[in-house]
Amino acid sequence: MGTLGSIKLALNALWVNKARSLLTLLGIVIGISAVVTIIASGEGVQQFVLGQIQSFGTNVMAIVPGGSEGERIGPPAAVMGVTVTTLTIEDAQAIANPRNVPDVVEVGMASDASQAVVTGREGDIFVTIYGVSPAYFSLSSMDFAEGSGFSEDDVKIANKVVVLGSTLKEKMFGDEPAVGQRIKLRNYRYRIVGVLESGGSIFGIIDLGKFAYIPVTTAQQLILGVNHLSEIMVRVTSEDRIEAARADVQNLLRERHDTTDPKNDDFTIRTIKDALQMIQLVMGALTLFLAAIAAISLLVGGIGIMNIMLVSVTERTREIGLRKALGARRRDILGQFLLEAILLTLIGGLLGFVLGISGAFATAQAGGWAFHLSVAAIVLPLAMTVFFGVVFGIYPAIRASRLDPIVALRYE
Amino acid sequence: MAAAIIQLKDLTKSYGKGLAETRALEGVNLTVNSGEFVAIMGPSGSGKSTLLHILGLLDKPSLGQYFLDGRRVDHLSENQLSDLRNQKMGFMFQAFNLLPRTSALENVELPLVYRSGLRGAKRRQLAELALAQVGLSQRSNNLPNQLSGGEQQRVAIARALVVNPQVILADEPTGNLDTKNSIEIMEVLSRLHREGRTIILVTHEKDLAAYAGRVIQLRDGRVESDIYQGNQHPLTLAATWAP
């Protein structure tokens, strides 16, 4: 029989039981759409995250308080929400000394964050107050739209000056210049010395424009009442020097903190490379998780297909008997039912593909990353559906092909 | 003298082994010549269905030899038997066995679908010709459930004819039909016989066997009698049935 005729025959058989075919397809539809979404979104998210991280520069490392298990990959205590008080301004100053760390270019500091409420033109604004040193702005690739920020001297004397995020500035002053004005944060009035360029968010969730940056010493003394840091950022001369600098910083801090056993480190050093590694690890785990869901869905869907094909073979026993009596060989019958199973999964795969692409497009729009359809996202699901069609269609098809025509012809 | 199209030599078919062995056919010798109209009769359990299945190459004998058109066929592979059925046999069944939701024309085309190298247009042309032979050209696009029982069986005859078979095997072809339709089908079969077709009919109705020129009685797997009835005109029988 011609290929076209076979396909027409198979489609006819599926069309006769439209509702049943459609319900059978659901598992495949969900599975394939999950696969497509994973592949299509995964790439977009990865590009997006890598881009964000690389904007910080590849010659930068961060030191956070508290040790971390599992060398460079496990989360340090500070990230897990535990306050660790082992990192100080003196530590940062020691790192900044070229005699200790020859490759150092600049060192930035940051305190813990705290919250305040200020009165804007259209009501109250929740502000996150962050104590930093001047180098923090350049280390974080933040540029000034107005003014130029505060100086090392402001840090030294714990001056009451502030740099505003763009959103905050706009809500308080509109288009008018803000530098030179004063705002009240908690109980003190601060002189505005700079406004940051707009833009910037932490993965699209936290708006950096609502931050108010004050000297790190001011934050420690007037707001937090502590003398430890939450982060020290270090820029070194170049990307290749980062591992050498890491070792220098590590030795310096161990010496300063009287630690000999690396297991007892009370700080964690992270480079961009670590961050990339971590992100890839997280992405990998997430992808694996979604892939597992997709695989289970495909498996269930595939078993559904096998089930419905077995039902179909039983229902059409007489038809099979007749075809064999009239000269169909085993492989004709096998081909007929296998083709039916493959077409069934292929239709499911197609529906799932459309659904998955739409899903990936929607998440890309919502997440703000570029929608990108790769060859893998098209070929892999297609290959998978054909594969599943064959795997789950072959058993019913073999059953059909082996029917004894005498028995089959008399089947009621 | 017409050529022997079918020759069975000492044919035996048994099921089971040892004490449980039962013989459906035992030492059957039979020759059917080209152009004969043979009726196989017998009570249920006499082995007539088994014989028809072996003749139709749907089943293999346990012992003995089967020559079809001079060629020994009892030891052929499944695929070879499929091809032989496709080329040399025309089947008719008691339950018609037409594919539902498939037009009369497509039903007639079905055996040709399993013949390689036959284009769709050629298949359709042959199927239309076969339908015309049973007088159903006007009904070619109808589905089986839009046809009467007699018409359905005529479609089945066309399906048997379309392969230009050497033998037409009819298994109780009127078993599901009323008297009027039965006569109609038997008329078609005897016309095909007059046109030179070889027909083997399995039935348990004496009246139908009367259409055949030769009646073979089976009992307990053996040929009990094999009688040539001469040329009894079937129309006289039709008259006895008429209301």
Side-chain angles (χ1 to χ4, degrees):
Chain A
M1 180 166 8
T3 321
L4 215 66
S6 308
I7 289 172
K8 202 181 133 214
L9 178 71
L11 287 177
N12 264 339
L14 298 176
W15 186 249
V16 167
N17 293 301
K18 292 178 278 293
R20 192 169 83 182
S21 303
L22 209 65
L23 286 173
T24 308
L25 289 177
L26 273 183
I28 297 290
V29 171
I30 292 167
I32 291 297
S33 71
V35 170
V36 172
T37 309
I38 292 164
I39 298 174
S41 314
E43 286 164 357
V45 171
Q46 203 145 352
Q47 292 301 322
F48 176 72
V49 171
L50 291 183
Q52 290 236 326
I53 288 170
Q54 268 155 354
S55 69
F56 288 108
T58 50
N59 58 342
V60 173
M61 67 174 126
I63 302 139
V64 292
S68 61
E69 287 174 44
E71 281 287 298
R72 299 176 179 186
I73 290 304
V79 174
M80 305 300 279
V82 179
T83 307
V84 187
T85 59
T86 49
L87 224 50
T88 61
I89 291 183
E90 288 72 32
D91 286 333
Q93 284 165 347
I95 294 168
N97 187 338
R99 265 182 299 171
N100 295 329
V101 184
D103 296 304
V104 71
V105 174
E106 56 181 343
V107 175
M109 294 174 256
S111 69
D112 292 331
S114 64
Q115 313 294 319
V117 178
V118 298
T119 310
R121 291 184 165 185
E122 287 159 20
D124 288 351
I125 309 165
F126 285 88
V127 182
T128 302
I129 305 171
Y130 209 32
V132 299
S133 67
Y136 180 88
F137 296 108
S138 58
L139 279 159
S140 303
S141 311
M142 290 173 173
D143 294 322
F144 289 94
E146 201 183 315
S148 59
F150 42 77
S151 65
E152 292 292 347
D153 286 341
D154 289 323
V155 173
K156 218 168 272 173
I157 61 167
N159 205 357
K160 291 196 277 293
V161 289
V162 65
V163 170
L164 299 184
S166 57
T167 313
L168 190 54
K169 182 259 173 186
E170 202 189 302
K171 288 202 172 177
M172 295 185 73
F173 302 102
D175 294 334
E176 293 161 30
V179 170
Q181 307 263 28
R182 287 171 193 274
I183 65 166
K184 193 175 178 186
L185 296 169
R186 298 281 180 100
N187 296 320
Y188 299 95
R189 295 175 72 78
Y190 293 77
R191 186 165 50 89
I192 298 168
V193 294
V195 175
L196 293 170
E197 288 275 10
S198 69
S201 65
I202 300 173
F203 300 142
I205 301 164
I206 300 168
D207 180 10
L208 290 177
K210 281 193 175 177
F211 274 48
Y213 301 88
I214 61 176
V216 61
T217 44
T218 315
Q220 286 179 333
Q221 289 164 26
L222 298 185
I223 291 179
L224 300 165
V226 299
N227 62 356
H228 63 262
L229 298 175
S230 69
E231 188 183 11
I232 298 173
M233 289 170 84
V234 181
R235 188 190 298 283
V236 300
T237 45
S238 72
E239 195 184 337
D240 348 314
R241 297 304 301 161
I242 203 134
E243 285 304 313
R246 174 206 278 271
D248 291 340
V249 170
Q250 197 163 287
N251 291 335
L252 177 69
L253 289 179
R254 275 182 195 152
E255 198 179 305
R256 290 179 55 84
H257 296 182
D258 293 324
T259 324
T260 46
D261 187 350
K263 274 187 192 158
N264 297 332
D265 274 352
D266 53 7
F267 58 90
T268 301
I269 304 174
R270 284 282 150 80
T271 62
I272 289 294
K273 216 188 266 177
D274 297 336
L276 289 183
Q277 219 176 329
M278 196 155 65
I279 293 287
Q280 267 151 8
L281 199 81
V282 171
M283 293 290 301
L286 201 68
T287 306
L288 211 67
F289 172 68
L290 291 174
I293 292 177
I296 290 169
S297 174
L298 281 174
L299 189 74
V300 173
I303 291 170
I305 295 234
M306 178 144 78
N307 186 34
I308 223 65
M309 288 311 293
L310 284 173
V311 169
S312 178
V313 167
T314 308
E315 279 178 353
R316 285 150 70 190
T317 299
R318 275 164 69 98
E319 175 192 329
I320 295 162
L322 175 74
R323 286 177 184 275
K324 286 194 120 181
L326 297 185
R329 291 176 169 205
R330 268 190 193 191
R331 64 148 193 262
D332 292 320
I333 303 294
L334 186 92
Q336 181 188 340
F337 280 88
L338 198 56
L339 187 71
E340 233 177 274
I342 291 172
L343 280 178
L344 193 62
T345 49
L346 214 55
I347 292 168
L350 224 61
L351 289 177
F353 184 77
V354 172
L355 211 66
I357 291 295
S358 319
F361 187 73
T363 41
Q365 294 291 85
W369 54 79
F371 174 71
H372 167 71
L373 188 59
S374 68
V375 179
I378 299 167
V379 173
L380 192 70
L382 191 79
M384 277 173 90
T385 47
V386 173
F387 174 76
F388 273 89
V390 172
V391 165
F392 291 101
I394 193 86
Y395 173 64
I398 287 175
R399 278 258 298 246
S401 74
R402 289 201 177 148
L403 282 175
D404 180 352
I406 297 172
V407 179
L409 274 169
R410 305 202 148 175
Y411 185 86
E412 291 299 333
Chain B
M1 180 70 194
I5 194 112
I6 283 172
Q7 256 186 310
L8 303 182
K9 289 185 178 165
D10 213 12
L11 200 85
T12 295
K13 178 70 182 180
S14 52
Y15 299 100
K17 285 225 157 76
L19 289 174
E21 181 178 316
T22 52
R23 297 209 157 173
L25 292 175
E26 202 165 354
V28 173
N29 287 294
L30 178 66
T31 302
V32 176
N33 287 325
S34 184
E36 272 193 293
F37 188 165
V38 183
I40 297 173
M41 294 195 68
S44 56
S46 61
K48 58 184 193 296
S49 286
T50 306
L51 182 59
L52 190 81
H53 290 147
I54 290 174
L55 288 174
L57 301 171
L58 291 165
D59 204 355
K60 288 185 183 184
S62 310
L63 289 169
Q65 298 169 343
Y66 176 7
F67 294 88
L68 177 67
D69 205 11
R71 178 188 180 194
R72 191 165 169 196
V73 294
D74 51 77
H75 59 279
L76 294 180
S77 73
E78 202 183 307
N79 281 343
Q80 286 172 312
L81 291 176
S82 289
D83 293 349
L84 274 182
R85 285 200 296 275
N86 185 256
Q87 288 152 14
K88 300 196 183 255
M89 298 291 171
F91 288 98
M92 287 174 67
F93 308 96
Q94 179 172 359
F96 319 140
N97 285 54
L98 298 179
L99 295 183
R101 297 177 291 271
T102 308
S103 73
L105 188 71
E106 284 173 306
N107 262 295
V108 174
E109 263 186 67
L110 191 59
L112 301 179
V113 160
Y114 297 107
R115 217 173 253 196
S116 53
L118 210 56
R119 301 177 63 93
K122 179 73 180 163
R123 287 206 302 261
R124 208 158 309 122
Q125 191 195 339
L126 288 171
E128 274 163 5
L129 225 67
L131 269 180
Q133 285 186 62
V134 296
L136 282 178
S137 291
Q138 305 304 314
R139 312 285 265 157
S140 64
N141 289 321
N142 287 58
L143 300 180
N145 59 15
Q146 297 167 326
L147 299 172
S148 74
E151 286 172 324
Q152 289 187 49
Q153 195 60 297
R154 271 152 69 197
V155 172
I157 295 176
R159 183 179 64 194
L161 285 175
V162 78
V163 301
N164 189 23
Q166 291 192 311
V167 183
I168 293 174
L169 291 164
D171 189 1
E172 304 268 14
T174 59
N176 282 6
L177 297 176
D178 60 17
T179 308
K180 181 173 166 286
N181 279 311
S182 294
I183 294 170
E184 183 185 308
I185 292 305
M186 292 314 294
E187 290 300 331
V188 175
L189 284 180
S190 38
R191 196 191 77 222
L192 292 171
H193 172 227
R194 287 197 299 275
E195 287 167 13
R197 297 276 175 194
T198 311
I199 299 169
I200 298 176
L201 165 77
V202 166
T203 182
H204 59 269
E205 291 179 60
K206 272 204 157 64
D207 298 337
L208 297 186
Y211 280 84
R214 178 183 174 193
V215 178
I216 295 168
Q217 279 282 349
L218 287 183
R219 187 173 292 277
D220 299 329
R222 293 170 185 278
V223 176
E224 193 183 50
S225 66
D226 187 345
I227 299 162
Y228 290 82
Q229 329 188 96
N231 254 352
Q232 184 173 8
H233 201 281
L235 285 180
T236 56
L237 277 147
T240 63
W241 274 338

PDB file of all heavy atoms in Angstrom, chain A residues 21-41:
ATOM      1  N   SER A  21      -9.216   9.453  21.055  1.00  0.00           N
ATOM      2  CA  SER A  21      -7.858   9.777  20.611  1.00  0.00           C
ATOM      3  C   SER A  21      -7.334  11.008  21.344  1.00  0.00           C
ATOM      4  O   SER A  21      -6.208  11.037  21.820  1.00  0.00           O
ATOM      5  CB  SER A  21      -7.836  10.033  19.105  1.00  0.00           C
ATOM      6  OG  SER A  21      -8.333   8.924  18.414  1.00  0.00           O
ATOM      7  N   LEU A  22      -8.207  12.020  21.449  1.00  0.00           N
ATOM      8  CA  LEU A  22      -7.790  13.287  22.052  1.00  0.00           C
ATOM      9  C   LEU A  22      -7.428  13.107  23.518  1.00  0.00           C
ATOM     10  O   LEU A  22      -6.411  13.611  23.989  1.00  0.00           O
ATOM     11  CB  LEU A  22      -8.925  14.310  21.903  1.00  0.00           C
ATOM     12  CG  LEU A  22      -8.467  15.761  21.819  1.00  0.00           C
ATOM     13  CD1 LEU A  22      -7.663  15.981  20.554  1.00  0.00           C
ATOM     14  CD2 LEU A  22      -9.662  16.696  21.864  1.00  0.00           C
ATOM     15  N   LEU A  23      -8.266  12.356  24.230  1.00  0.00           N
ATOM     16  CA  LEU A  23      -7.998  12.119  25.655  1.00  0.00           C
ATOM     17  C   LEU A  23      -6.703  11.335  25.834  1.00  0.00           C
ATOM     18  O   LEU A  23      -5.916  11.621  26.729  1.00  0.00           O
ATOM     19  CB  LEU A  23      -9.162  11.356  26.290  1.00  0.00           C
ATOM     20  CG  LEU A  23     -10.421  12.183  26.529  1.00  0.00           C
ATOM     21  CD1 LEU A  23     -11.560  11.306  27.008  1.00  0.00           C
ATOM     22  CD2 LEU A  23     -10.142  13.293  27.536  1.00  0.00           C
ATOM     23  N   THR A  24      -6.505  10.380  24.935  1.00  0.00           N
ATOM     24  CA  THR A  24      -5.287   9.569  25.006  1.00  0.00           C
ATOM     25  C   THR A  24      -4.053  10.447  24.831  1.00  0.00           C
ATOM     26  O   THR A  24      -3.014  10.194  25.416  1.00  0.00           O
ATOM     27  CB  THR A  24      -5.305   8.509  23.898  1.00  0.00           C
ATOM     28  OG1 THR A  24      -6.531   7.805  23.984  1.00  0.00           O
ATOM     29  CG2 THR A  24      -4.154   7.558  24.022  1.00  0.00           C
ATOM     30  N   LEU A  25      -4.224  11.502  24.037  1.00  0.00           N
ATOM     31  CA  LEU A  25      -3.084  12.355  23.702  1.00  0.00           C
ATOM     32  C   LEU A  25      -2.631  13.233  24.852  1.00  0.00           C
ATOM     33  O   LEU A  25      -1.509  13.708  24.859  1.00  0.00           O
ATOM     34  CB  LEU A  25      -3.457  13.263  22.535  1.00  0.00           C
ATOM     35  CG  LEU A  25      -3.597  12.582  21.195  1.00  0.00           C
ATOM     36  CD1 LEU A  25      -4.033  13.575  20.163  1.00  0.00           C
ATOM     37  CD2 LEU A  25      -2.269  11.982  20.816  1.00  0.00           C
ATOM     38  N   LEU A  26      -3.524  13.482  25.825  1.00  0.00           N
ATOM     39  CA  LEU A  26      -3.236  14.496  26.845  1.00  0.00           C
ATOM     40  C   LEU A  26      -1.866  14.310  27.500  1.00  0.00           C
ATOM     41  O   LEU A  26      -1.114  15.265  27.645  1.00  0.00           O
ATOM     42  CB  LEU A  26      -4.325  14.486  27.913  1.00  0.00           C
ATOM     43  CG  LEU A  26      -5.521  15.376  27.581  1.00  0.00           C
ATOM     44  CD1 LEU A  26      -6.521  15.372  28.727  1.00  0.00           C
ATOM     45  CD2 LEU A  26      -5.051  16.789  27.293  1.00  0.00           C
ATOM     46  N   GLY A  27      -1.567  13.070  27.883  1.00  0.00           N
ATOM     47  CA  GLY A  27      -0.283  12.814  28.539  1.00  0.00           C
ATOM     48  C   GLY A  27       0.882  13.233  27.666  1.00  0.00           C
ATOM     49  O   GLY A  27       1.820  13.879  28.131  1.00  0.00           O
ATOM     50  N   ILE A  28       0.782  12.873  26.380  1.00  0.00           N
ATOM     51  CA  ILE A  28       1.845  13.229  25.442  1.00  0.00           C
ATOM     52  C   ILE A  28       1.911  14.747  25.272  1.00  0.00           C
ATOM     53  O   ILE A  28       2.990  15.341  25.254  1.00  0.00           O
ATOM     54  CB  ILE A  28       1.605  12.544  24.081  1.00  0.00           C
ATOM     55  CG1 ILE A  28       1.658  11.020  24.224  1.00  0.00           C
ATOM     56  CG2 ILE A  28       2.594  13.014  23.040  1.00  0.00           C
ATOM     57  CD1 ILE A  28       3.030  10.463  24.516  1.00  0.00           C
ATOM     58  N   VAL A  29       0.731  15.373  25.170  1.00  0.00           N
ATOM     59  CA  VAL A  29       0.690  16.828  24.992  1.00  0.00           C
ATOM     60  C   VAL A  29       1.398  17.511  26.153  1.00  0.00           C
ATOM     61  O   VAL A  29       2.276  18.364  25.959  1.00  0.00           O
ATOM     62  CB  VAL A  29      -0.768  17.323  24.895  1.00  0.00           C
ATOM     63  CG1 VAL A  29      -0.822  18.840  24.934  1.00  0.00           C
ATOM     64  CG2 VAL A  29      -1.423  16.809  23.621  1.00  0.00           C
ATOM     65  N   ILE A  30       1.059  17.115  27.373  1.00  0.00           N
ATOM     66  CA  ILE A  30       1.650  17.736  28.553  1.00  0.00           C
ATOM     67  C   ILE A  30       3.151  17.457  28.595  1.00  0.00           C
ATOM     68  O   ILE A  30       3.955  18.367  28.810  1.00  0.00           O
ATOM     69  CB  ILE A  30       0.964  17.210  29.827  1.00  0.00           C
ATOM     70  CG1 ILE A  30      -0.476  17.716  29.873  1.00  0.00           C
ATOM     71  CG2 ILE A  30       1.731  17.666  31.071  1.00  0.00           C
ATOM     72  CD1 ILE A  30      -1.342  17.028  30.896  1.00  0.00           C
ATOM     73  N   GLY A  31       3.520  16.214  28.345  1.00  0.00           N
ATOM     74  CA  GLY A  31       4.933  15.848  28.394  1.00  0.00           C
ATOM     75  C   GLY A  31       5.759  16.641  27.397  1.00  0.00           C
ATOM     76  O   GLY A  31       6.786  17.220  27.752  1.00  0.00           O
ATOM     77  N   ILE A  32       5.287  16.672  26.153  1.00  0.00           N
ATOM     78  CA  ILE A  32       6.061  17.360  25.115  1.00  0.00           C
ATOM     79  C   ILE A  32       6.084  18.863  25.363  1.00  0.00           C
ATOM     80  O   ILE A  32       7.113  19.513  25.183  1.00  0.00           O
ATOM     81  CB  ILE A  32       5.481  17.033  23.718  1.00  0.00           C
ATOM     82  CG1 ILE A  32       5.745  15.567  23.375  1.00  0.00           C
ATOM     83  CG2 ILE A  32       6.097  17.928  22.664  1.00  0.00           C
ATOM     84  CD1 ILE A  32       7.206  15.183  23.264  1.00  0.00           C
ATOM     85  N   SER A  33       4.958  19.426  25.803  1.00  0.00           N
ATOM     86  CA  SER A  33       4.956  20.866  26.051  1.00  0.00           C
ATOM     87  C   SER A  33       5.938  21.189  27.178  1.00  0.00           C
ATOM     88  O   SER A  33       6.619  22.209  27.134  1.00  0.00           O
ATOM     89  CB  SER A  33       3.550  21.373  26.363  1.00  0.00           C
ATOM     90  OG  SER A  33       3.127  20.928  27.623  1.00  0.00           O
ATOM     91  N   ALA A  34       6.027  20.302  28.161  1.00  0.00           N
ATOM     92  CA  ALA A  34       6.996  20.522  29.242  1.00  0.00           C
ATOM     93  C   ALA A  34       8.417  20.493  28.694  1.00  0.00           C
ATOM     94  O   ALA A  34       9.231  21.367  29.011  1.00  0.00           O
ATOM     95  CB  ALA A  34       6.823  19.466  30.322  1.00  0.00           C
ATOM     96  N   VAL A  35       8.688  19.516  27.844  1.00  0.00           N
ATOM     97  CA  VAL A  35      10.030  19.403  27.263  1.00  0.00           C
ATOM     98  C   VAL A  35      10.378  20.664  26.475  1.00  0.00           C
ATOM     99  O   VAL A  35      11.452  21.247  26.644  1.00  0.00           O
ATOM    100  CB  VAL A  35      10.124  18.161  26.342  1.00  0.00           C
ATOM    101  CG1 VAL A  35      11.430  18.183  25.551  1.00  0.00           C
ATOM    102  CG2 VAL A  35      10.039  16.884  27.160  1.00  0.00           C
ATOM    103  N   VAL A  36       9.433  21.095  25.644  1.00  0.00           N
ATOM    104  CA  VAL A  36       9.683  22.275  24.811  1.00  0.00           C
ATOM    105  C   VAL A  36       9.901  23.506  25.684  1.00  0.00           C
ATOM    106  O   VAL A  36      10.825  24.290  25.462  1.00  0.00           O
ATOM    107  CB  VAL A  36       8.513  22.496  23.830  1.00  0.00           C
ATOM    108  CG1 VAL A  36       8.681  23.816  23.107  1.00  0.00           C
ATOM    109  CG2 VAL A  36       8.450  21.361  22.834  1.00  0.00           C
ATOM    110  N   THR A  37       9.049  23.660  26.696  1.00  0.00           N
ATOM    111  CA  THR A  37       9.184  24.820  27.576  1.00  0.00           C
ATOM    112  C   THR A  37      10.534  24.810  28.278  1.00  0.00           C
ATOM    113  O   THR A  37      11.212  25.829  28.357  1.00  0.00           O
ATOM    114  CB  THR A  37       8.065  24.828  28.632  1.00  0.00           C
ATOM    115  OG1 THR A  37       6.822  24.671  27.968  1.00  0.00           O
ATOM    116  CG2 THR A  37       8.064  26.125  29.412  1.00  0.00           C
ATOM    117  N   ILE A  38      10.919  23.648  28.766  1.00  0.00           N
ATOM    118  CA  ILE A  38      12.198  23.538  29.474  1.00  0.00           C
ATOM    119  C   ILE A  38      13.342  23.959  28.568  1.00  0.00           C
ATOM    120  O   ILE A  38      14.159  24.799  28.927  1.00  0.00           O
ATOM    121  CB  ILE A  38      12.457  22.086  29.936  1.00  0.00           C
ATOM    122  CG1 ILE A  38      11.471  21.710  31.019  1.00  0.00           C
ATOM    123  CG2 ILE A  38      13.889  21.918  30.430  1.00  0.00           C
ATOM    124  CD1 ILE A  38      11.399  20.218  31.240  1.00  0.00           C
ATOM    125  N   ILE A  39      13.364  23.382  27.372  1.00  0.00           N
ATOM    126  CA  ILE A  39      14.488  23.655  26.473  1.00  0.00           C
ATOM    127  C   ILE A  39      14.502  25.122  26.074  1.00  0.00           C
ATOM    128  O   ILE A  39      15.516  25.805  26.170  1.00  0.00           O
ATOM    129  CB  ILE A  39      14.426  22.756  25.228  1.00  0.00           C
ATOM    130  CG1 ILE A  39      14.531  21.295  25.644  1.00  0.00           C
ATOM    131  CG2 ILE A  39      15.553  23.106  24.271  1.00  0.00           C
ATOM    132  CD1 ILE A  39      14.330  20.330  24.506  1.00  0.00           C
ATOM    133  N   ALA A  40      13.317  25.599  25.652  1.00  0.00           N
ATOM    134  CA  ALA A  40      13.243  26.962  25.122  1.00  0.00           C
ATOM    135  C   ALA A  40      13.493  27.993  26.224  1.00  0.00           C
ATOM    136  O   ALA A  40      14.233  28.954  26.024  1.00  0.00           O
ATOM    137  CB  ALA A  40      11.902  27.201  24.448  1.00  0.00           C
ATOM    138  N   SER A  41      12.895  27.812  27.407  1.00  0.00           N
ATOM    139  CA  SER A  41      13.089  28.793  28.480  1.00  0.00           C
ATOM    140  C   SER A  41      14.463  28.647  29.105  1.00  0.00           C
ATOM    141  O   SER A  41      15.098  29.627  29.449  1.00  0.00           O
ATOM    142  CB  SER A  41      12.055  28.645  29.582  1.00  0.00           C
ATOM    143  OG  SER A  41      10.786  28.515  29.066  1.00  0.00           O
TER     144      SER A  41
END
